[in-house]
Amino acid sequence: MKLTKLSTWVMAVLLLGCSIQPRIAQAQELSLDDALAQALGKNPNILRYQAAVSEKKYEQRAAKGLYFPKIALTGMAVAMSENLHLDLNPVKDAITPLYGALGHFGNFSGVPNPDPNTSGVMPILPDNISTQAVRGSLLEGLGKIESAEWDKMIQKKQFASLSAGVVLPIYTGGKITAANHAAKIETHEAELELTKVESELLVNVVDQYYGLVLSNELLQVRKDVFTTMQKHFDEANKLQAEGIIAQAELLHAKVYLADATRELHKAEQQLDIVQQALRATLNLDAETTITPRSKLFYLTDIDPISVFLGDIKAESPLLALVESKQHLAEENIRLHKSEFLPTVVLMGNVNIVNKDLSPYMPDMMVGVAINWTLFDGLANVNKYKASQQKKIQAENAYVSVSHDLETAVTKYYKEQDMYRNQIQELGDSRKFADEYFRSQEKAFAEGMATSTQIADAGLLVAKARIEQLSAMYEYQKSLVRLLMYAGKSASFATYASGANAKGIE
């Protein structure tokens, strides 16, 4: 029994251990294109603006519906406090004495003979017969008046009805047209906003992706420096033990090794920070380790600045956004101008079914209605003037943004040109530093150079490589911003894989 209990506890512990295994870090190798596709597909900000575009498209469809008639079913059930009557007794009281007096005392003549057999001989009845005939008709009418229902119920107090109505705009002064144009502009504006956000995301991804590439390269440099300093320290330790170099030289080597160790740890931490930032942008799990496939590059040649300046007006979403504000302001002016004009609609209504509805109500009605606001306290006049000022703002904003974009394009064009020159110059410096380090290493082995000199030579090699890598990273940042402000962000990948793209040799 004890053995069975022990076995049960052992199995439980083993199962618990299996269930709490730590999550294994996943490695994901990504090119720049992969990173961009990942960002565009999963970035919540992009998804938000994509939803905004869909929203505006539906609103544009809704605006088109203003051209069509509105058809509606209207049902109602009504309960009034009492039946609705029409009392005509005053009319009865007014005509009854007249009929009574004329029917008994009236004298009449000139009544046509109604008998066709004698009408040819006697077309007009004699006065006595005429009087008798007319009095008889009047008394007969009096009887009908007295027997008629003069208090008429025209609607029961409870009734219900179901009817269909249609309203078709015939003339609105341009309201519907302006609303549709504005909806189309707003849809285009939402698409431009999406393009703008995508361009900004591209800049962010390029900064972070190539920042990761740079961090990996810098980590490798720091590893190389550490290896070199470790090797140098071991050599110095061996030479000092043999009495070839002084204790001070060994201490110098130890100091440089400590510095290399510290810089290596710093580079490792910096790599973790950049990894975390890129993972967040790409919406990846915290356990994912990103391995970049693309390398730092620079362009040996690029189009003249005039090409990029010319692309601003045609391709920049930033400028197109301001231009759309101008068009929207113009449509707003038309909309407020239309408020000064009448609105004419064709309308109709048909009674489908009813319960105790008054028989005096028509089954169908068709008509034309007009609505024309003649005075509204000058509200629309001031709105119209305000819309004109909105247009002036948009026009001036267009000029201002155009100038700002030209300034930005010029700035980043010159920056990328500057970093290209730096990269090429630093390439020569690296060659000199490598040769100098080899010569110092040889001299140290022969006892002709100090520990400080060889350590400085090794750091000079690392410095030259770090400066060149950093210049290439800054080149990437300048290039992507140049393309963004020129409206050519989508062509970054083409530049990166083009014939003019060159990496570090």
Side-chain angles (χ1 to χ4, degrees), residues 24 39 93 96-97 105-106 122 125 195 203 220 236 264 276 284 309 327 335 378 396 398 403 433 438 464 488 498 500:
I24 300 174
D93 294 341
T96 296
F105 306 108
M122 186 176 58
L125 294 175
T195 303
V203 172
Q220 186 58 50
L264 176 60
Q276 183 180 359
L284 296 175
L309 290 173
H327 297 324
L335 181 62
L378 300 179
N396 285 283
Y398 183 87
H403 177 73
R438 284 192 292 270
K488 302 176 67 173
N500 290 333

Side-chain angles (χ1 to χ4, degrees), residues 248-313:
E249 293 294 327
L250 177 62
L251 293 175
H252 278 297
K254 190 172 183 179
V255 169
Y256 282 112
L257 177 60
D259 289 341
T261 302
R262 185 180 67 254
E263 291 297 330
L264 176 60
H265 292 161
K266 181 180 176 181
E268 290 172 342
Q269 293 172 350
Q270 182 64 32
L271 179 62
D272 289 340
I273 294 171
V274 177
Q275 277 272 0
Q276 183 180 359
L278 185 56
R279 277 197 300 265
T281 300
L282 303 185
N283 201 20
L284 296 175
D285 293 336
E287 293 80 14
T288 302
T289 300
I290 302 171
T291 302
R293 283 205 306 264
S294 302
K295 301 297 182 182
L296 290 166
F297 72 94
Y298 71 98
L299 301 178
T300 57
D301 190 25
I302 197 171
D303 292 329
I305 191 173
S306 58
V307 174
F308 293 96
L309 290 173
D311 287 334
I312 293 175
K313 187 173 182 180

Side-chain angles (χ1 to χ4, degrees), residues 323-429:
E323 189 175 15
S324 72
K325 296 293 185 185
Q326 281 184 274
H327 297 324
L328 197 59
E330 291 169 358
E331 293 303 327
N332 199 29
I333 289 174
R334 292 191 183 95
L335 181 62
H336 287 298
K337 188 183 291 185
S338 70
E339 294 292 340
F340 297 113
L341 302 173
T343 298
V344 182
V345 298
L346 178 66
M347 61 181 184
N349 191 77
V350 59
N351 187 9
I352 299 174
V353 64
N354 69 82
K355 169 72 173 170
D356 293 330
L357 184 65
S358 173
Y360 299 103
M361 291 294 295
D363 290 331
M364 185 179 68
M365 293 185 295
V366 177
V368 177
I370 182 171
N371 180 37
W372 195 351
T373 302
L374 300 178
F375 182 73
D376 62 354
L378 300 179
N380 195 60
V381 172
N382 288 296
K383 288 180 180 179
Y384 176 72
K385 291 180 178 179
S387 64
Q388 290 178 317
Q389 298 302 312
K390 196 77 172 179
K391 181 183 177 183
I392 294 174
Q393 293 178 48
E395 290 171 346
N396 285 283
Y398 183 87
V399 175
S400 177
V401 171
S402 297
H403 177 73
D404 292 343
L405 289 174
E406 290 175 0
T407 302
V409 166
T410 303
K411 173 181 181 293
Y412 289 112
Y413 187 90
K414 291 182 177 179
E415 274 194 6
Q416 63 85 31
D417 192 49
M418 175 187 70
Y419 287 120
R420 179 192 300 109
N421 293 332
Q422 285 186 12
I423 292 166
Q424 293 169 345
E425 292 168 358
L426 288 167
D428 295 335
S429 298

Side-chain angles (χ1 to χ4, degrees), residues 109-127:
S109 62
V111 177
N113 186 0
D115 188 357
N117 296 322
T118 60
S119 61
V121 179
M122 186 176 58
I124 302 299
L125 294 175
D127 290 349

Side-chain angles (χ1 to χ4, degrees), residues 461-486:
V461 172
K463 179 175 178 293
R465 182 168 176 79
I466 289 172
E467 287 180 347
Q468 190 179 31
L469 289 168
S470 299
M472 292 189 75
Y473 175 62
E474 293 299 328
Y475 178 86
Q476 247 90 89
K477 291 171 62 177
S478 296
L479 177 62
V480 73
R481 283 164 175 78
L482 168 64
L483 296 176
M484 180 186 71
Y485 288 114

